[in-house]
Amino acid sequence: MSHQRSYRVAVLGGDGIGPEVVDVALEVVRASGVVIETTHFELGAARYLRDGFVLDDATVEELRRFDAILLGAVGPAIGDTRIPGGVLERGLLLRLRFALDLYINYRPFRGVAGSIAEGSEFAIVRENTEGPYAGEGGILRYGTAHEVATQGSVNTRFGVERCVRHAFARATQSRQAKLTLVHKTNVLTFAGDLWSRVVAEVGAEFSNVEVDYHHVDAACIYLVESPERYGVIVTDNLFGDILSDLAGAVTGGIGYAASANLNPDKTGPSLFEPVHGAAHDIAGTGRANPLAAVSSAALMLEHLGEVDAANRITRAVQEFNGDVSLGTASITQEIVGRL
């Protein structure tokens, strides 16, 4: 008798609507037939406000033992100034990326009906552990009239090449077999030159993939005017952060946008999360759109090797043509029913 594998998933519900949409995602995963064992961790704004805890070494080591991590949303309510900026972002989200070597941020997009990108399909592969987010920089003469703040962008050959290779591998599977490097090589000449050379060198190994280049400001225009021109966009950490939010907006809204923070080498768990925020204003009202969390869970299953279940969930989301204002329970029922 064959034995179906069970996966251990760490669940970080977080704040606001985070726990609600994660619960839906887990329900959908189980409805797909994949067996998961979940352990919940209380991390985020509410935990910090209660006892000042963000993330410690022991918790990081505990998370390493899981097959995957599913995150809902993290952050305080809009206007709540009790948490200094950067505390959760750097102390929790970025720390997990660095500690678990989640060096790829992968976000697939498909324009939903009625969006300006309706019918288009593309993906953004973003380098996830370097660039300006690496933390290089500092402040001199803080608080004086002569204050100096520097913020460097870290780009290593190692980091750029492994990101670019992952992007080319994705491009071979894309509808267009096309990869576009997005950067600002005319101004950021040092980092831009490194990215350009790596794309050219790695691209020589992928003769079946068309390669293009766009400045980031032009890419912002093209994503709005003609997103269908893209197959896979590869870019650095900061540009990828901005472009992927824009891509979410033009393809129907960030309520649909999923993301995967990947360790492709699987030396530790990867982390999957919807792009949207905690939306405290609708928490507990039953109005949260869980589709981004469900799609993130599908990315998790794909990464774990459960490709058939991932595809069925993705298809169910794509075929859902109902009004997302129907509410969380009705959307959940629709998706589960299609499985």
Side-chain angles (χ1 to χ4, degrees):
M1 178 181 296
S2 62
H3 176 71
Q4 184 176 9
R5 180 178 175 183
S6 174
Y7 300 94
R8 298 183 66 237
V9 177
V11 180
L12 282 57
D15 305 301
I17 65 171
E20 299 172 37
V21 297
V22 162
D23 283 348
V24 173
L26 294 174
E27 180 179 346
V28 170
V29 167
R30 292 187 171 104
S32 76
V34 176
V35 179
I36 55 173
E37 301 174 12
T38 58
T39 301
H40 291 256
F41 291 79
E42 186 185 2
L43 299 170
R47 175 72 186 273
Y48 177 82
L49 289 173
R50 188 177 75 242
D51 58 22
F53 183 85
V54 179
L55 183 67
D56 60 10
D57 292 342
T59 305
V60 171
E61 292 307 309
E62 188 174 358
L63 289 170
R64 284 188 198 279
R65 296 194 288 270
F66 287 84
D67 296 306
I69 302 169
L70 189 61
L71 170 67
V74 170
I78 295 175
D80 188 340
T81 60
R82 292 176 293 171
I83 303 178
V87 168
L88 295 178
E89 294 84 354
R90 297 206 68 88
L92 176 56
L93 301 177
L94 292 187
R95 184 176 180 188
L96 285 175
R97 292 179 191 175
F98 299 144
L100 301 176
D101 202 18
L102 307 178
Y103 64 86
I104 295 293
N105 183 267
Y106 172 65
R107 296 188 184 181
F109 297 95
R110 183 177 186 271
V112 304
S115 70
I116 63 176
E118 181 177 349
S120 63
E121 291 185 32
F122 60 92
I124 295 178
V125 173
R126 162 190 170 195
E127 200 292 316
N128 210 31
T129 58
E130 296 187 347
Y133 294 178
E136 191 274 334
I139 296 180
L140 297 173
R141 297 187 289 274
Y142 181 81
T144 74
H146 305 286
E147 184 172 341
V148 177
T150 63
Q151 194 80 55
S153 179
V154 176
N155 298 263
T156 68
R157 171 72 192 220
F158 171 76
V160 172
E161 182 170 344
R162 64 181 183 171
C163 175
V164 167
R165 286 192 176 279
H166 186 87
F168 268 105
R170 293 277 184 183
T172 63
Q173 304 165 12
S174 70
R175 186 166 60 178
Q176 299 186 57
K178 180 178 180 181
L179 179 140
T180 303
L181 169 63
V182 172
H183 211 279
K184 192 69 174 173
T185 57
N186 58 338
V187 176
L188 304 177
T189 54
F190 303 122
D193 178 63
L194 174 58
W195 277 87
S196 296
R197 284 186 288 111
V198 170
V199 167
E201 293 167 16
V202 175
E205 303 173 24
F206 293 85
S207 58
N208 62 319
V209 176
E210 179 187 352
V211 179
D212 199 0
Y213 170 79
H214 291 157
H215 289 324
V216 65
D217 43 353
C220 289
I221 297 172
Y222 296 148
L223 275 174
V224 174
E225 292 184 343
S226 53
E228 69 278 358
R229 72 172 62 207
Y230 293 114
V232 171
I233 293 172
V234 64
T235 189
D236 79 349
N237 209 333
L238 179 59
F239 294 150
D241 192 356
I242 297 167
L243 287 174
S244 55
D245 282 354
L246 174 59
V250 303
T251 53
I254 58 174
Y256 293 95
S259 92
N261 297 279
L262 299 174
N263 176 336
D265 308 315
K266 297 187 177 180
T267 58
S270 293
L271 184 150
F272 304 84
E273 59 177 324
V275 174
H276 62 68
H280 288 263
D281 56 323
I282 61 170
T285 66
R287 293 161 48 202
N289 175 5
L291 293 179
V294 170
S295 294
S296 298
L299 293 176
M300 177 182 74
L301 295 185
E302 176 188 295
H303 182 71
L304 293 173
E306 298 289 344
V307 177
D308 176 69
N311 288 340
R312 287 189 287 114
I313 292 172
T314 298
R315 192 179 312 117
V317 172
Q318 292 174 350
E319 292 174 351
F320 173 74
N321 294 316
D323 184 353
V324 293
S325 67
L326 291 173
T328 312
S330 295
I331 296 172
T332 304
Q333 185 177 14
E334 285 271 357
I335 300 300
V336 170
R338 293 175 184 275
L339 295 174

PDB file of all heavy atoms in Angstrom, residues 163-186:
ATOM      1  N   CYS A 163      20.211  34.177  -9.063  1.00  0.00           N
ATOM      2  CA  CYS A 163      18.897  34.732  -9.370  1.00  0.00           C
ATOM      3  C   CYS A 163      18.620  34.659 -10.869  1.00  0.00           C
ATOM      4  O   CYS A 163      17.540  34.240 -11.302  1.00  0.00           O
ATOM      5  CB  CYS A 163      18.828  36.178  -8.878  1.00  0.00           C
ATOM      6  SG  CYS A 163      17.291  37.028  -9.316  1.00  0.00           S
ATOM      7  N   VAL A 164      19.594  35.045 -11.663  1.00  0.00           N
ATOM      8  CA  VAL A 164      19.428  35.046 -13.113  1.00  0.00           C
ATOM      9  C   VAL A 164      19.211  33.629 -13.639  1.00  0.00           C
ATOM     10  O   VAL A 164      18.361  33.396 -14.514  1.00  0.00           O
ATOM     11  CB  VAL A 164      20.639  35.715 -13.787  1.00  0.00           C
ATOM     12  CG1 VAL A 164      20.650  35.463 -15.291  1.00  0.00           C
ATOM     13  CG2 VAL A 164      20.632  37.217 -13.494  1.00  0.00           C
ATOM     14  N   ARG A 165      19.942  32.669 -13.110  1.00  0.00           N
ATOM     15  CA  ARG A 165      19.762  31.280 -13.552  1.00  0.00           C
ATOM     16  C   ARG A 165      18.352  30.785 -13.240  1.00  0.00           C
ATOM     17  O   ARG A 165      17.726  30.087 -14.039  1.00  0.00           O
ATOM     18  CB  ARG A 165      20.810  30.367 -12.905  1.00  0.00           C
ATOM     19  CG  ARG A 165      22.193  30.541 -13.495  1.00  0.00           C
ATOM     20  CD  ARG A 165      23.148  29.451 -13.055  1.00  0.00           C
ATOM     21  NE  ARG A 165      24.434  29.617 -13.722  1.00  0.00           N
ATOM     22  CZ  ARG A 165      24.696  29.208 -14.965  1.00  0.00           C
ATOM     23  NH1 ARG A 165      23.754  28.592 -15.669  1.00  0.00           N
ATOM     24  NH2 ARG A 165      25.874  29.410 -15.499  1.00  0.00           N
ATOM     25  N   HIS A 166      17.860  31.133 -12.076  1.00  0.00           N
ATOM     26  CA  HIS A 166      16.500  30.734 -11.720  1.00  0.00           C
ATOM     27  C   HIS A 166      15.501  31.376 -12.681  1.00  0.00           C
ATOM     28  O   HIS A 166      14.541  30.726 -13.119  1.00  0.00           O
ATOM     29  CB  HIS A 166      16.183  31.145 -10.284  1.00  0.00           C
ATOM     30  CG  HIS A 166      14.861  30.657  -9.793  1.00  0.00           C
ATOM     31  ND1 HIS A 166      14.685  29.426  -9.206  1.00  0.00           N
ATOM     32  CD2 HIS A 166      13.628  31.235  -9.822  1.00  0.00           C
ATOM     33  CE1 HIS A 166      13.409  29.256  -8.888  1.00  0.00           C
ATOM     34  NE2 HIS A 166      12.755  30.345  -9.253  1.00  0.00           N
ATOM     35  N   ALA A 167      15.728  32.631 -13.020  1.00  0.00           N
ATOM     36  CA  ALA A 167      14.817  33.334 -13.925  1.00  0.00           C
ATOM     37  C   ALA A 167      14.825  32.709 -15.313  1.00  0.00           C
ATOM     38  O   ALA A 167      13.767  32.555 -15.940  1.00  0.00           O
ATOM     39  CB  ALA A 167      15.186  34.810 -13.999  1.00  0.00           C
ATOM     40  N   PHE A 168      16.005  32.332 -15.821  1.00  0.00           N
ATOM     41  CA  PHE A 168      16.063  31.690 -17.130  1.00  0.00           C
ATOM     42  C   PHE A 168      15.340  30.345 -17.110  1.00  0.00           C
ATOM     43  O   PHE A 168      14.637  29.989 -18.067  1.00  0.00           O
ATOM     44  CB  PHE A 168      17.515  31.500 -17.578  1.00  0.00           C
ATOM     45  CG  PHE A 168      18.044  32.648 -18.401  1.00  0.00           C
ATOM     46  CD1 PHE A 168      18.933  33.560 -17.850  1.00  0.00           C
ATOM     47  CD2 PHE A 168      17.660  32.813 -19.717  1.00  0.00           C
ATOM     48  CE1 PHE A 168      19.416  34.624 -18.599  1.00  0.00           C
ATOM     49  CE2 PHE A 168      18.130  33.862 -20.482  1.00  0.00           C
ATOM     50  CZ  PHE A 168      19.012  34.776 -19.923  1.00  0.00           C
ATOM     51  N   ALA A 169      15.504  29.607 -16.019  1.00  0.00           N
ATOM     52  CA  ALA A 169      14.801  28.323 -15.914  1.00  0.00           C
ATOM     53  C   ALA A 169      13.294  28.544 -15.945  1.00  0.00           C
ATOM     54  O   ALA A 169      12.550  27.774 -16.575  1.00  0.00           O
ATOM     55  CB  ALA A 169      15.221  27.598 -14.641  1.00  0.00           C
ATOM     56  N   ARG A 170      12.806  29.583 -15.288  1.00  0.00           N
ATOM     57  CA  ARG A 170      11.382  29.907 -15.326  1.00  0.00           C
ATOM     58  C   ARG A 170      10.967  30.326 -16.732  1.00  0.00           C
ATOM     59  O   ARG A 170       9.878  29.978 -17.196  1.00  0.00           O
ATOM     60  CB  ARG A 170      11.076  31.037 -14.344  1.00  0.00           C
ATOM     61  CG  ARG A 170      11.251  30.678 -12.876  1.00  0.00           C
ATOM     62  CD  ARG A 170      10.041  29.993 -12.319  1.00  0.00           C
ATOM     63  NE  ARG A 170      10.181  29.732 -10.889  1.00  0.00           N
ATOM     64  CZ  ARG A 170       9.280  29.080 -10.158  1.00  0.00           C
ATOM     65  NH1 ARG A 170       8.163  28.638 -10.725  1.00  0.00           N
ATOM     66  NH2 ARG A 170       9.481  28.871  -8.877  1.00  0.00           N
ATOM     67  N   ALA A 171      11.828  31.081 -17.400  1.00  0.00           N
ATOM     68  CA  ALA A 171      11.495  31.577 -18.734  1.00  0.00           C
ATOM     69  C   ALA A 171      11.326  30.443 -19.734  1.00  0.00           C
ATOM     70  O   ALA A 171      10.511  30.540 -20.660  1.00  0.00           O
ATOM     71  CB  ALA A 171      12.563  32.556 -19.220  1.00  0.00           C
ATOM     72  N   THR A 172      12.078  29.360 -19.568  1.00  0.00           N
ATOM     73  CA  THR A 172      11.933  28.226 -20.483  1.00  0.00           C
ATOM     74  C   THR A 172      10.548  27.601 -20.384  1.00  0.00           C
ATOM     75  O   THR A 172      10.087  26.942 -21.319  1.00  0.00           O
ATOM     76  CB  THR A 172      12.988  27.140 -20.208  1.00  0.00           C
ATOM     77  OG1 THR A 172      12.801  26.621 -18.887  1.00  0.00           O
ATOM     78  CG2 THR A 172      14.397  27.693 -20.349  1.00  0.00           C
ATOM     79  N   GLN A 173       9.884  27.824 -19.250  1.00  0.00           N
ATOM     80  CA  GLN A 173       8.555  27.255 -19.037  1.00  0.00           C
ATOM     81  C   GLN A 173       7.437  28.265 -19.284  1.00  0.00           C
ATOM     82  O   GLN A 173       6.262  27.926 -19.197  1.00  0.00           O
ATOM     83  CB  GLN A 173       8.447  26.740 -17.596  1.00  0.00           C
ATOM     84  CG  GLN A 173       9.513  25.724 -17.221  1.00  0.00           C
ATOM     85  CD  GLN A 173       9.616  25.510 -15.714  1.00  0.00           C
ATOM     86  OE1 GLN A 173       8.757  25.942 -14.954  1.00  0.00           O
ATOM     87  NE2 GLN A 173      10.665  24.840 -15.277  1.00  0.00           N
ATOM     88  N   SER A 174       7.810  29.520 -19.558  1.00  0.00           N
ATOM     89  CA  SER A 174       6.800  30.549 -19.745  1.00  0.00           C
ATOM     90  C   SER A 174       6.181  30.467 -21.127  1.00  0.00           C
ATOM     91  O   SER A 174       6.739  29.844 -22.044  1.00  0.00           O
ATOM     92  CB  SER A 174       7.404  31.944 -19.538  1.00  0.00           C
ATOM     93  OG  SER A 174       8.283  32.276 -20.594  1.00  0.00           O
ATOM     94  N   ARG A 175       5.046  31.093 -21.281  1.00  0.00           N
ATOM     95  CA  ARG A 175       4.302  31.035 -22.532  1.00  0.00           C
ATOM     96  C   ARG A 175       5.116  31.616 -23.690  1.00  0.00           C
ATOM     97  O   ARG A 175       5.056  31.124 -24.814  1.00  0.00           O
ATOM     98  CB  ARG A 175       2.982  31.793 -22.374  1.00  0.00           C
ATOM     99  CG  ARG A 175       2.056  31.692 -23.569  1.00  0.00           C
ATOM    100  CD  ARG A 175       0.656  32.154 -23.223  1.00  0.00           C
ATOM    101  NE  ARG A 175       0.624  33.537 -22.779  1.00  0.00           N
ATOM    102  CZ  ARG A 175      -0.485  34.187 -22.456  1.00  0.00           C
ATOM    103  NH1 ARG A 175      -1.655  33.544 -22.505  1.00  0.00           N
ATOM    104  NH2 ARG A 175      -0.465  35.444 -22.058  1.00  0.00           N
ATOM    105  N   GLN A 176       5.913  32.648 -23.426  1.00  0.00           N
ATOM    106  CA  GLN A 176       6.664  33.310 -24.481  1.00  0.00           C
ATOM    107  C   GLN A 176       8.123  32.869 -24.567  1.00  0.00           C
ATOM    108  O   GLN A 176       8.800  33.209 -25.532  1.00  0.00           O
ATOM    109  CB  GLN A 176       6.652  34.826 -24.269  1.00  0.00           C
ATOM    110  CG  GLN A 176       5.285  35.460 -24.300  1.00  0.00           C
ATOM    111  CD  GLN A 176       5.402  36.970 -24.218  1.00  0.00           C
ATOM    112  OE1 GLN A 176       6.058  37.607 -25.020  1.00  0.00           O
ATOM    113  NE2 GLN A 176       4.749  37.549 -23.222  1.00  0.00           N
ATOM    114  N   ALA A 177       8.616  32.135 -23.582  1.00  0.00           N
ATOM    115  CA  ALA A 177      10.047  31.803 -23.502  1.00  0.00           C
ATOM    116  C   ALA A 177      10.878  33.067 -23.684  1.00  0.00           C
ATOM    117  O   ALA A 177      11.794  33.135 -24.516  1.00  0.00           O
ATOM    118  CB  ALA A 177      10.429  30.752 -24.539  1.00  0.00           C
ATOM    119  N   LYS A 178      10.549  34.073 -22.863  1.00  0.00           N
ATOM    120  CA  LYS A 178      11.207  35.378 -22.980  1.00  0.00           C
ATOM    121  C   LYS A 178      11.605  35.880 -21.601  1.00  0.00           C
ATOM    122  O   LYS A 178      10.816  35.800 -20.660  1.00  0.00           O
ATOM    123  CB  LYS A 178      10.272  36.384 -23.655  1.00  0.00           C
ATOM    124  CG  LYS A 178      10.868  37.778 -23.818  1.00  0.00           C
ATOM    125  CD  LYS A 178       9.892  38.700 -24.527  1.00  0.00           C
ATOM    126  CE  LYS A 178      10.480  40.089 -24.700  1.00  0.00           C
ATOM    127  NZ  LYS A 178       9.532  41.012 -25.382  1.00  0.00           N
ATOM    128  N   LEU A 179      12.818  36.405 -21.504  1.00  0.00           N
ATOM    129  CA  LEU A 179      13.306  36.997 -20.256  1.00  0.00           C
ATOM    130  C   LEU A 179      13.689  38.444 -20.515  1.00  0.00           C
ATOM    131  O   LEU A 179      14.399  38.739 -21.483  1.00  0.00           O
ATOM    132  CB  LEU A 179      14.505  36.217 -19.719  1.00  0.00           C
ATOM    133  CG  LEU A 179      15.118  36.750 -18.413  1.00  0.00           C
ATOM    134  CD1 LEU A 179      15.509  35.605 -17.486  1.00  0.00           C
ATOM    135  CD2 LEU A 179      16.330  37.637 -18.679  1.00  0.00           C
ATOM    136  N   THR A 180      13.229  39.325 -19.624  1.00  0.00           N
ATOM    137  CA  THR A 180      13.571  40.748 -19.715  1.00  0.00           C
ATOM    138  C   THR A 180      14.277  41.180 -18.440  1.00  0.00           C
ATOM    139  O   THR A 180      13.707  41.071 -17.348  1.00  0.00           O
ATOM    140  CB  THR A 180      12.312  41.613 -19.911  1.00  0.00           C
ATOM    141  OG1 THR A 180      11.606  41.176 -21.076  1.00  0.00           O
ATOM    142  CG2 THR A 180      12.692  43.073 -20.075  1.00  0.00           C
ATOM    143  N   LEU A 181      15.511  41.644 -18.584  1.00  0.00           N
ATOM    144  CA  LEU A 181      16.212  42.257 -17.460  1.00  0.00           C
ATOM    145  C   LEU A 181      15.702  43.682 -17.306  1.00  0.00           C
ATOM    146  O   LEU A 181      15.651  44.446 -18.276  1.00  0.00           O
ATOM    147  CB  LEU A 181      17.715  42.274 -17.707  1.00  0.00           C
ATOM    148  CG  LEU A 181      18.545  43.131 -16.727  1.00  0.00           C
ATOM    149  CD1 LEU A 181      18.455  42.605 -15.299  1.00  0.00           C
ATOM    150  CD2 LEU A 181      20.003  43.211 -17.186  1.00  0.00           C
ATOM    151  N   VAL A 182      15.305  44.038 -16.082  1.00  0.00           N
ATOM    152  CA  VAL A 182      14.883  45.397 -15.786  1.00  0.00           C
ATOM    153  C   VAL A 182      15.858  45.990 -14.763  1.00  0.00           C
ATOM    154  O   VAL A 182      16.086  45.410 -13.693  1.00  0.00           O
ATOM    155  CB  VAL A 182      13.446  45.439 -15.243  1.00  0.00           C
ATOM    156  CG1 VAL A 182      13.101  46.850 -14.769  1.00  0.00           C
ATOM    157  CG2 VAL A 182      12.459  44.996 -16.317  1.00  0.00           C
ATOM    158  N   HIS A 183      16.445  47.124 -15.122  1.00  0.00           N
ATOM    159  CA  HIS A 183      17.419  47.779 -14.236  1.00  0.00           C
ATOM    160  C   HIS A 183      17.474  49.255 -14.610  1.00  0.00           C
ATOM    161  O   HIS A 183      16.539  49.773 -15.250  1.00  0.00           O
ATOM    162  CB  HIS A 183      18.791  47.111 -14.362  1.00  0.00           C
ATOM    163  CG  HIS A 183      19.598  47.163 -13.101  1.00  0.00           C
ATOM    164  ND1 HIS A 183      20.312  48.271 -12.719  1.00  0.00           N
ATOM    165  CD2 HIS A 183      19.799  46.236 -12.131  1.00  0.00           C
ATOM    166  CE1 HIS A 183      20.923  48.035 -11.571  1.00  0.00           C
ATOM    167  NE2 HIS A 183      20.617  46.792 -11.181  1.00  0.00           N
ATOM    168  N   LYS A 184      18.521  49.920 -14.238  1.00  0.00           N
ATOM    169  CA  LYS A 184      18.749  51.322 -14.590  1.00  0.00           C
ATOM    170  C   LYS A 184      20.232  51.474 -14.921  1.00  0.00           C
ATOM    171  O   LYS A 184      20.988  52.179 -14.253  1.00  0.00           O
ATOM    172  CB  LYS A 184      18.335  52.230 -13.421  1.00  0.00           C
ATOM    173  CG  LYS A 184      18.256  53.709 -13.787  1.00  0.00           C
ATOM    174  CD  LYS A 184      17.116  54.041 -14.714  1.00  0.00           C
ATOM    175  CE  LYS A 184      17.014  55.556 -14.924  1.00  0.00           C
ATOM    176  NZ  LYS A 184      16.021  55.911 -15.953  1.00  0.00           N
ATOM    177  N   THR A 185      20.641  50.767 -15.965  1.00  0.00           N
ATOM    178  CA  THR A 185      22.066  50.644 -16.286  1.00  0.00           C
ATOM    179  C   THR A 185      22.705  51.951 -16.734  1.00  0.00           C
ATOM    180  O   THR A 185      23.924  52.090 -16.661  1.00  0.00           O
ATOM    181  CB  THR A 185      22.274  49.590 -17.385  1.00  0.00           C
ATOM    182  OG1 THR A 185      21.500  49.965 -18.533  1.00  0.00           O
ATOM    183  CG2 THR A 185      21.847  48.212 -16.907  1.00  0.00           C
ATOM    184  N   ASN A 186      21.902  52.905 -17.194  1.00  0.00           N
ATOM    185  CA  ASN A 186      22.474  54.171 -17.638  1.00  0.00           C
ATOM    186  C   ASN A 186      22.867  55.074 -16.481  1.00  0.00           C
ATOM    187  O   ASN A 186      23.624  56.036 -16.666  1.00  0.00           O
ATOM    188  CB  ASN A 186      21.492  54.900 -18.565  1.00  0.00           C
ATOM    189  CG  ASN A 186      20.147  55.159 -17.908  1.00  0.00           C
ATOM    190  OD1 ASN A 186      19.765  54.485 -16.940  1.00  0.00           O
ATOM    191  ND2 ASN A 186      19.406  56.128 -18.430  1.00  0.00           N
TER     192      ASN A 186
END
